[in-house]
Amino acid sequence: MTPELMIRACTFYTGRLLKTHFHTWREIAIPPTNEDELLAEKMEAAIVYANFRLKKHVLHHWHSYVKNRKEQLRDALLRIQKMFHCYKMIVTLNKWRDRARHKFKKREDELMLKHELQLQKFSKLKFKTSSKEEYFFPEQFVSEGFLVGGTPEFDISQLPKRAILQIFSYLSLRDLVICGQVNRSWLLMTQMGSLWNGIDFSAVKNIITDKYIVSILQRWRLNVLRLNFRGCVLRLKTLRSVSFCKNLQELNVSDCPTLTDESMRYISESCPGVLYLNLSNTIITNRTMRLLPRYFYNLQNLSLAYCRKFTDKGLQYLNLGNGCHKLIYLDLSGCTQISVQGFRNIANSCSGIMHLTINDMPTLTDNCVKALVEKCHRISSVVLIGAPHISDSAFKALSGCDIKKIRFEGNKRITDACFKLIDKSYPNISHIYMVDCKGITDGSLKSLSPLKHLTVLNLANCVRIGDTGLKQFLDGPASTKIRELNLSNCIHLGDASMAKLSERCYNLNYLNLRNCEHLTDLGVEFIANIFSLVSVDLSGTDISNEVFCKGSLTLEHLDVSYCPQLSDIIIKALAIYCINLTSLSVAGCPKITDSAMEMLSAKCHYLHILDVSGCILLTDQMLENLEMGCRQLRILKMQYCRLISKEAAIRMSSIVQHQEYSASNPPLWFGYDSEGKSLREKQNTSLKNSELTAKESTYNNEEEAV
């Protein structure tokens, strides 16, 4: 930078500064000549801007008003459409209801007409004793040649082989041998190898000999897959013959007093493919426990119930050799000799257990369960019946497993606290059996309501459960999936919760409300809306007559025993609507008569089990009707039926498979005397009479004193 350049720069800067200040001074000092014009322009621009702001404000208010009016009109239109839709639905429902009532009335009239015709035909049949005509029910279709010529000949051997196998598979070993003695064709049918895949010797254990067992096993040794020797008293040589069956997969030798470690050695060495082994209630020791992992390395199902000769060391042997690592099901019921260390040995040897059963184990504690679940994380089913020392801590220990089925019975230490864990710890649980657990209250049912996969709930004898808890349970998603509900002996339940039960449980198949004494006919009317019911138990309740029979067309099992107010009306309803009934109990109902049983015999041809104990008005006529109509009857109970003769009962015993009969008067716990009069009413009458007598004597004494 030279001095000349510095001077030129300063001169230029000074000149620019002077020029800028001069122009500013000139604009301020000398007023513009056209000031009025500029002011007028500014005022005009201000007016235009003000008008624009005013229009914008007015337009905004108008837009809000129009928008609100549109919303009001839209809401009004929606309300009108909703009202129109509701009115249309009301009209449709009224028409549907009228049509449904007409159709139901028509169907009911048809059923009544059909019932009367069948009853008349059944009544006429009883008087045609001299005729040889065979009676056929209206629903059976037979050819005219069958009615005229009698029973046609039919050769079962002409059926397809698959059908023959299906028919003969339902026969026991004794029946199968008898069928083989009919003729040569029947003998060939009974010699099909598939029929001898499973042999049940327990059904004929009292008549079959060891020699015959050995010959059967020798002949069918390549076909036998399943053997059942339960309760058979066999010699050592006979048990050794099991070793002939090289392809054996299932073996049941439970309750065999002659089974020893020596016989198990022969079986284990020759039958390595066994998957199912039942050794319950035998005298096996640790020697047999040593054999199991050595030879049965594919074993999946093992039952050691009530085997008290082995020890904790025997359970340690399960880890030897190939081990029982494929074991899925284990039953240790009644093995009270097992300690905490024994359960720890099981966990080390059989970590893949999924189904665990430990019943009748008073020595079982929470520590045993904790030791087992340390390594057995696949447990999905737990059955602990008769374990009084198990508490909520066991539930907490099982939270690490994916439990789907749990069953406890007779436990007083389990409380509502364990159910609070179920929703979070067992979200996939489907079966809950908590029978006779006195610590369970309504709070437990509230905790179960969020479960989405629950299908079976059994809380029988949980006497602290009432309508409040059941309503809370039915509010959750669990009620929509429930198929089996057992609340027997829950004495605080009544009609209040039955309305919601009928609304929510539309998939319910099995319902047990035994001894719910506060349940009346009003509650039964609500149950009538559950059309999916297959089995209902209302015994011991305060109901008078059955209304729900009209809607229960699929009903198969009904128990209304010890409801003394029931009369012939229930039997008539069953005969008309529930023709698929297979099991019926009206024991302790003294108002049932022969006319009702006649209607039952004329319609319910599929009846297998019938209990009429304590029905004091029934006579021999009832047995004649059953013999003619209910030809599939297998079990008949008629205790305390004093009007039924012994001769008729003996004749009936040759028709049914099992029969119970006595002609004595009903005991006092039936609640009525031999004439059907209520004992409670008689007691009340006697008390009133004694009070009146006391008052009369007091009055007479006062008169004498006066």
Side-chain angles (χ1 to χ4, degrees):
M1 178 67 69
T2 60
E4 292 80 7
L5 293 176
M6 179 63 72
I7 293 172
R8 290 179 64 181
C10 290
T11 303
F12 180 77
Y13 177 75
T14 305
R16 293 284 296 178
L17 186 64
L18 181 63
K19 185 178 180 180
T20 302
H21 284 281
F22 177 78
H23 282 291
T24 304
W25 171 83
R26 188 181 64 177
E27 290 178 357
I28 296 173
I30 301 174
T33 57
N34 53 352
E35 183 177 0
D36 295 336
E37 294 179 0
L38 293 175
L39 184 62
E41 290 178 359
K42 290 182 179 179
M43 287 298 295
E44 186 178 356
I47 293 171
V48 171
Y49 180 73
N51 292 333
F52 175 75
R53 290 288 303 270
L54 181 62
K55 290 178 181 179
K56 184 178 180 181
H57 181 71
V58 173
L59 182 64
H60 176 72
H61 282 282
W62 175 81
H63 178 71
S64 300
Y65 171 76
V66 171
K67 186 177 180 181
N68 292 333
R69 287 293 298 172
K70 285 184 177 180
E71 291 180 355
Q72 291 176 2
L73 291 173
R74 189 183 298 110
D75 294 339
L77 181 61
L78 289 175
R79 287 196 300 269
I80 293 172
Q81 290 178 351
K82 188 176 181 180
M83 292 174 62
F84 176 76
H85 180 70
C86 291
Y87 177 76
K88 185 178 179 181
M89 288 294 295
I90 290 174
V91 173
T92 305
L93 287 175
N94 286 333
K95 291 183 178 179
W96 172 82
R97 183 181 59 185
D98 296 338
R99 186 174 180 181
R101 285 178 177 176
H102 176 72
K103 190 174 181 180
F104 180 78
K105 184 68 169 57
K106 183 179 179 181
R107 183 177 65 88
E108 192 174 27
D109 293 340
E110 291 177 354
L111 287 174
M112 289 296 296
L113 179 61
K114 184 178 179 181
H115 168 71
E116 295 296 335
L117 292 175
Q118 292 183 0
L119 190 60
Q120 291 177 7
K121 187 172 289 187
F122 187 80
S123 301
K124 292 178 180 178
L125 179 66
K126 295 189 296 184
F127 296 100
K128 296 181 180 180
T129 55
S130 59
S131 176
K132 295 184 179 180
E133 294 180 358
E134 185 70 20
Y135 178 70
F136 296 95
F137 300 107
E139 63 266 23
Q140 294 177 340
F141 296 94
V142 293
S143 62
E144 185 178 355
F146 183 87
L147 292 173
V148 176
T151 305
E153 294 184 359
F154 176 73
D155 188 5
I156 193 175
S157 62
Q158 300 300 322
L159 292 174
K161 183 178 179 180
R162 185 178 177 182
I164 296 174
L165 286 174
Q166 187 70 20
I167 294 172
F168 280 90
S169 63
Y170 292 103
L171 300 180
S172 63
L173 178 62
R174 181 168 180 262
D175 296 333
L176 199 62
V177 174
I178 294 174
C179 290
Q181 299 174 356
V182 175
N183 52 41
R184 182 175 178 81
S185 62
W186 280 62
L187 178 62
L188 293 175
M189 287 187 291
T190 58
Q191 299 301 315
M192 289 186 289
S194 301
L195 292 176
W196 299 91
N197 287 340
I199 304 178
D200 186 5
F201 290 108
S202 63
V204 291
K205 60 184 178 181
N206 297 324
I207 58 176
I208 197 169
T209 61
D210 289 14
K211 182 179 179 180
Y212 191 72
I213 293 176
V214 174
S215 64
I216 289 178
L217 294 180
Q218 285 180 343
R219 181 173 185 179
W220 303 104
R221 58 186 180 274
L222 298 179
N223 300 90
V224 175
L225 301 177
R226 300 178 299 277
L227 280 178
N228 188 356
F229 288 103
R230 181 176 182 180
C232 297
V233 182
L234 305 175
R235 294 182 299 176
L236 178 60
K237 182 180 179 181
T238 306
L239 289 172
R240 288 181 180 179
S241 62
V242 178
S243 60
F244 299 153
C245 307
K246 304 295 183 180
N247 299 322
L248 189 64
Q249 295 181 3
E250 298 182 11
L251 177 61
N252 187 347
V253 288
S254 59
D255 299 317
C256 291
T258 56
L259 182 71
T260 60
D261 297 331
E262 185 67 19
S263 55
M264 278 303 302
R265 183 176 66 84
Y266 283 97
I267 296 173
S268 59
E269 291 177 353
S270 304
C271 306
V274 172
L275 303 177
Y276 170 91
L277 181 60
N278 192 339
L279 301 173
S280 59
N281 201 15
T282 56
I283 57 174
I284 62 166
T285 64
N286 291 342
R287 293 177 58 190
T288 298
M289 302 297 290
R290 188 189 292 269
L291 296 172
L292 296 181
R294 183 177 301 175
Y295 297 101
F296 299 142
Y297 44 85
N298 290 321
L299 191 63
Q300 297 180 5
N301 192 312
L302 176 62
S303 177
L304 300 172
Y306 307 102
C307 297
R308 296 188 173 91
K309 296 294 184 179
F310 69 90
T311 62
D312 293 343
K313 188 176 182 180
L315 295 173
Q316 191 175 4
Y317 291 153
L318 296 178
N319 202 22
L320 299 177
N322 293 321
C324 294
H325 304 303
K326 296 182 180 179
L327 202 63
I328 297 176
Y329 175 87
L330 180 62
D331 189 352
L332 297 174
S333 302
C335 299
T336 54
Q337 75 276 13
I338 303 177
S339 63
V340 178
Q341 183 59 39
F343 284 97
R344 191 170 287 111
N345 294 337
I346 296 174
N348 294 330
S349 306
C350 315
S351 58
I353 294 177
M354 298 179 63
H355 307 283
L356 182 65
T357 301
I358 310 177
N359 298 331
D360 299 330
M361 195 82 159
T363 58
L364 189 69
T365 61
D366 295 337
N367 293 329
C368 298
V369 179
K370 292 177 182 178
L372 188 63
V373 299
E374 285 179 358
K375 296 185 178 180
C376 299
H377 302 297
R378 297 179 60 189
I379 296 178
S380 62
S381 173
V382 179
V383 181
L384 300 175
I385 298 176
H389 299 293
I390 295 295
S391 65
D392 298 336
S393 300
F395 271 87
K396 190 174 182 180
L398 289 168
S399 60
C401 307
D402 187 15
I403 300 295
K404 296 181 180 178
K405 178 180 178 181
I406 194 163
R407 183 170 183 174
F408 280 77
E409 186 172 339
N411 193 299
K412 297 181 180 179
R413 301 185 63 187
I414 294 177
T415 63
D416 294 340
C418 72
F419 285 91
K420 294 180 180 179
L421 300 171
I422 288 183
D423 180 25
K424 298 179 181 179
S425 304
Y426 316 125
N428 297 321
I429 195 166
S430 60
H431 290 64
I432 296 179
Y433 299 84
M434 291 290 183
V435 178
D436 198 18
C437 296
K438 308 299 183 184
I440 295 177
T441 65
D442 289 339
S444 299
L445 284 174
K446 184 178 180 180
S447 302
L448 295 178
S449 60
L451 298 176
K452 298 180 180 180
H453 303 284
L454 188 64
T455 57
V456 177
L457 179 60
N458 191 335
L459 297 178
N461 298 332
C462 296
V463 294
R464 300 176 65 183
I465 291 177
D467 288 329
T468 303
L470 185 57
K471 286 181 179 179
Q472 293 173 344
F473 169 75
L474 296 174
D475 286 333
S479 59
T480 58
K481 294 288 187 67
I482 199 77
R483 294 185 179 276
E484 181 178 340
L485 182 61
N486 190 337
L487 298 172
S488 61
N489 295 315
C490 296
I491 56 177
H492 296 295
L493 285 177
D495 299 334
S497 56
M498 293 299 109
K500 184 165 288 188
L501 181 71
S502 63
E503 293 175 2
R504 301 282 296 173
C505 301
Y506 44 81
N507 289 318
L508 190 64
N509 298 136
Y510 302 92
L511 178 62
N512 192 333
L513 298 174
R514 175 187 290 264
N515 295 332
C516 296
E517 53 189 23
H518 297 294
L519 185 66
T520 63
D521 292 338
L522 180 62
V524 175
E525 291 182 4
F526 291 121
I527 297 175
N529 298 323
I530 309 177
F531 301 109
S532 59
L533 283 175
V534 176
S535 175
V536 180
D537 189 345
L538 297 173
S539 59
T541 57
D542 190 19
I543 58 176
S544 58
N545 276 304
E546 297 298 310
V547 184
F548 74 95
C549 294
K550 293 184 178 181
S552 304
L553 300 179
T554 60
L555 194 65
E556 296 180 6
H557 309 279
L558 178 63
D559 190 344
V560 288
S561 55
Y562 309 107
C563 299
Q565 301 300 324
L566 294 180
S567 61
D568 291 347
I569 298 176
I570 174 181
I571 305 296
K572 183 178 181 180
L574 289 172
I576 296 174
Y577 301 101
C578 305
I579 59 175
N580 295 321
L581 203 66
T582 60
S583 174
L584 174 64
S585 177
V586 289
C589 300
K591 296 182 180 180
I592 303 296
T593 63
D594 288 336
S595 60
M597 301 308 297
E598 181 183 4
M599 290 186 285
L600 186 74
S601 303
K603 294 294 295 291
C604 298
H605 309 307
Y606 305 107
L607 199 64
H608 288 77
I609 303 172
L610 179 62
D611 189 356
V612 292
S613 300
C615 297
I616 56 177
L617 299 180
L618 298 179
T619 63
D620 295 348
Q621 185 63 42
M622 185 263 300
L623 298 181
E624 295 179 5
N625 295 331
L626 290 176
E627 185 177 356
M628 295 169 73
C630 302
R631 300 187 178 184
Q632 298 187 25
L633 192 64
R634 297 293 180 266
I635 299 176
L636 178 61
K637 299 180 181 180
M638 43 186 181
Q639 299 278 356
Y640 316 115
C641 296
R642 55 188 179 85
L643 298 182
I644 297 179
S645 63
K646 186 177 181 180
E647 293 76 12
I650 294 174
R651 185 177 68 254
M652 195 67 184
S653 63
S654 61
I655 300 174
V656 297
Q657 295 179 355
H658 176 75
Q659 178 177 293
E660 297 179 8
Y661 165 74
S662 70
S664 57
N665 291 326
L668 296 178
W669 55 268
F670 268 58
Y672 54 88
D673 57 9
S674 59
E675 298 179 356
K677 295 182 180 179
S678 175
L679 297 178
R680 184 180 300 176
E681 294 179 359
K682 291 179 66 176
Q683 290 176 357
N684 294 335
T685 303
S686 61
L687 288 174
K688 290 180 180 179
N689 292 334
S690 61
E691 290 176 0
L692 290 174
T693 304
K695 289 181 180 180
E696 289 179 357
S697 61
T698 304
Y699 180 74
N700 293 332
N701 293 333
E702 290 177 355
E703 283 187 345
E704 291 178 358
V706 172

